[in-house]
Amino acid sequence: MMAPGFADAPGGADNPLLQHLGIELAEVAAGRAVFRIDLDRRHLNRQGSLQGGVAATLLDAACGYAGLVGADGQLQGNAVTVMLNVAYLRKVSRGRLRATGTVTRAGRSMYFATGELATESGELIATAQGAFKRNSNASGE
């Protein structure tokens, strides 16, 4: 399911960094967002496993986008990350990963979300918890 308002939906993200990394928006609805990535060399560190920054970016995007769609299914502007904590649980070096963000609590402008990064088989790679501030200004300022 894809909520209206995301310029490149389905299959993309309206964020140049995500696009550059090959991170695709797979699903976004009220309180939930899913991103996916097919790992290749550019996503790996010197040890040949997923770069922590790429994992954090996936989780940040999933958690952040999860709070951008209202209960009515309409886009609620943009958001900035106020805080993001990531726990790295396991190494991965190939395959498709899926980052799922879920809103756990929301107010008028602030919301909190948790995220999970997993392989296609469901093996958990990393988790996150974050706080985000919604902004209806299109520039994000």
Side-chain angles (χ1 to χ4, degrees):
M1 178 177 162
M2 194 68 68
F6 289 95
D8 55 350
D14 54 354
N15 179 313
L17 176 63
L18 301 182
Q19 195 171 23
H20 175 74
L21 290 172
I23 297 172
E24 296 180 341
L25 178 60
E27 177 186 329
V28 64
R32 187 171 191 273
V34 178
F35 282 83
R36 65 179 171 235
I37 188 171
D38 291 315
L39 293 183
D40 64 37
R41 249 179 76 113
R42 68 183 159 161
H43 304 119
L44 306 180
N45 60 25
R46 292 185 303 161
Q47 292 80 35
S49 59
L50 178 64
Q51 169 66 23
V54 175
T57 298
L58 280 155
L59 289 162
D60 183 43
C63 290
Y65 277 60
L68 295 183
V69 177
D72 61 359
Q74 297 301 309
L75 184 62
Q76 296 185 323
N78 296 308
V80 294
T81 306
V82 175
M83 179 274 304
L84 185 72
N85 290 324
V86 178
Y88 300 95
L89 308 174
R90 161 173 292 131
K91 290 182 180 184
V92 65
S93 59
R94 64 182 185 277
R96 176 172 278 188
L97 302 181
R98 183 176 172 98
T100 303
T102 305
V103 173
T104 55
R105 187 163 179 96
R108 275 183 292 152
S109 63
M110 290 285 292
Y111 60 96
F112 301 87
T114 59
E116 291 187 345
L117 180 62
T119 64
E120 278 191 302
S121 65
E123 194 172 22
L124 204 53
I125 303 302
T127 61
Q129 292 180 320
F132 304 84
K133 182 165 178 43
R134 226 179 267 110
N135 182 335
S136 59
N137 181 349
S139 71
E141 296 177 10

